Amino acid sequence: QAKAHGGAQIAFFESAMGDAAEQRFRIDRDLRQALVEDQLRLYLQPQVDTSGRWTGAEALVRWQHPVQGLVSPGVFIPIAEESDLIVSLGRWVVTEAMRLIAEQARAGRSLPLSINLSPRQFRQPDFVTWMQQLLAEHAIDPHLLTLEITEGLVIGNVEQTIERMQALRALGLHFSIDDFGTGYSSLAYLKRLPISELKIDRSFIQDVTRRADDAALVETILSVASHMGLKVVAEGVEEPAQTQFLAARAEGVILQGYFYGRPGPAEEWLARWAADGSLPALPALPPR
Ligand code: C2E
Ligand code: MG
Ligand code: MG
Ligand code: MG
């Protein structure tokens, strides 16, 4: 089977179909089939603190294509986002994440997960009530679920977005700003959003120990986060020197990247974490 590789997959769709529009059409059509035939897979990537202790994981979707093998989200998410397909796909991801959290909870273990939320999914009229129902159905602690959004979600819809975020926050869910620093938003809106976390984009981490401008940007983000009481996750950590840089400047920073583990099938990571005691015991529910 073809190994996961964005470039090769795009090339396949191109050579098979011709122009870009047809290629999009084909991916769109196959992806609808994928939802029906259960071809989506949830991968997890660990997050750790500066002493290397496991703190949680990000859920990243993959597509197990019958011919292509494993297709990465960079290939199909942008196409899914052009239609309501992203809503069905996003629902599958949320449901699967909750199922995993519930499964671990039944075994007495706590699994904090972050999932990526697409703007179209967030803007579905019934999104808040749908989330509320699903949380109740799976009986999970909502604090274990973090919704990653991007800066672009806020632009143009500030009041409506904040209102909806507050409703979801009131359910106990957390928000994180993904790829922080790459959007065109101003710092002014940060204080108005009910967020718990900033994720520093990988592009700033990559050369943080080699480039003074990246170092300055990362230091600024760490400082803003600290002053605002926000948790910080650095994505794309590949070298110990990057962790040293971050740990020297922010005690509580959380690290995610190939250095600590690549995204892998949820079942595989979970079996490993359960075996090595990474997953903390679920706190006893408070009396009600
Ligand atoms: P993201 O949310 O910023 O996720 C981080 C991406 O960086 C992931 O790519 C991850 O595999 C990759 N990564 C992690 N550590 C390293 C590292 O050390 N080095 C390098 N070079 N890369 C690293 P992936 O899994 O291909 O996902 C790409 C994007 O697709 C995600 O970026 C996210 O925007 C989107 N995506 C993934 N799953 C979902 C989903 O369920 N729903 C939605 N709406 N979008 C998703
Ligand atoms: Mg993300
Ligand atoms: Mg990210
Ligand atoms: Mg990113």
Side-chain angles (χ1 to χ4, degrees):
Q1 261 189 349
K3 188 118 176 78
H5 187 268
Q9 288 152 8
I10 291 170
F12 167 82
F13 284 112
E14 267 172 3
S15 62
M17 284 305 285
D19 70 11
E22 279 181 0
Q23 170 203 334
R24 275 205 306 278
F25 170 82
R26 185 190 172 107
I27 293 179
D28 183 281
R29 186 200 59 197
D30 286 3
L31 201 47
R32 283 170 204 278
Q33 195 64 17
L35 278 159
V36 177
E37 294 185 359
D38 212 19
Q39 293 167 8
L40 297 180
R41 301 288 177 266
L42 205 64
Y43 271 40
L44 299 182
Q45 184 177 33
Q47 299 178 332
V48 304
D49 65 18
T50 52
S51 57
R53 210 171 45 112
W54 188 93
T55 62
E58 178 174 6
L60 295 156
V61 70
R62 299 287 183 268
W63 175 11
Q64 187 66 54
H65 190 283
V67 178
Q68 285 309 291
L70 205 60
V71 186
S72 54
V75 174
F76 62 90
I77 291 284
I79 291 165
E81 272 172 343
E82 288 175 17
S83 71
D84 276 355
L85 192 47
I86 192 67
V87 177
S88 314
L89 192 151
R91 284 191 172 162
W92 182 87
V93 172
V94 174
T95 307
E96 188 63 9
M98 285 201 198
R99 192 184 67 74
L100 292 177
I101 293 172
E103 182 186 274
Q104 291 302 315
R106 280 194 297 275
R109 294 186 290 258
S110 184
L111 174 66
L113 281 187
S114 291
I115 56 166
N116 296 281
L117 205 61
S118 151
R120 201 191 277 259
Q121 187 184 8
F122 176 88
R123 294 196 187 110
Q124 284 293 296
D126 67 344
F127 184 65
V128 178
T129 50
W130 183 80
M131 280 300 268
Q132 189 169 18
Q133 276 170 15
L134 214 61
L135 284 166
E137 221 173 275
H138 288 87
I140 66 165
D141 179 352
H143 294 284
L144 293 173
L145 196 61
T146 296
L147 307 176
E148 296 190 2
I149 57 168
T150 49
E151 295 166 72
L153 178 71
V154 186
I155 297 169
N157 281 293
V158 185
E159 301 309 323
Q160 240 184 316
T161 303
I162 292 176
E163 210 174 291
R164 179 157 291 201
M165 285 177 74
Q166 280 165 344
L168 291 160
R169 184 69 196 92
L171 297 179
L173 298 160
H174 289 280
F175 281 100
S176 172
I177 304 212
D178 202 358
D179 305 330
F180 186 73
T182 61
Y184 292 95
S185 53
S186 80
L187 284 176
Y189 78 98
L190 260 191
K191 66 174 182 194
R192 298 194 53 210
L193 301 181
I195 54 173
S196 313
E197 178 186 288
L198 299 179
K199 286 191 90 167
I200 308 179
D201 191 62
R202 174 158 58 90
S203 61
F204 303 120
I205 302 298
Q206 200 169 350
D207 293 314
V208 74
T209 59
R210 288 174 287 268
R211 289 180 57 120
D213 49 0
D214 285 337
L217 283 167
V218 168
E219 279 171 346
T220 302
I221 296 172
L222 292 173
S223 164
V224 166
S226 153
H227 285 293
M228 296 185 64
L230 300 173
K231 184 178 154 188
V232 181
V233 179
E235 63 176 32
V237 176
E238 296 184 355
E239 305 160 12
Q242 292 163 343
T243 291
Q244 281 159 19
F245 179 97
L246 292 159
R249 287 161 182 80
E251 231 181 298
V253 69
I254 301 299
L255 313 158
Q256 180 182 344
Y258 292 170
F259 182 71
Y260 296 100
R262 291 186 178 246
E267 325 74 77
E268 283 177 24
W269 271 122
L270 285 168
R272 187 162 150 189
W273 294 331
D276 71 12
S278 289
L279 301 161
L282 201 66
L285 285 173
R288 43 183 201 161

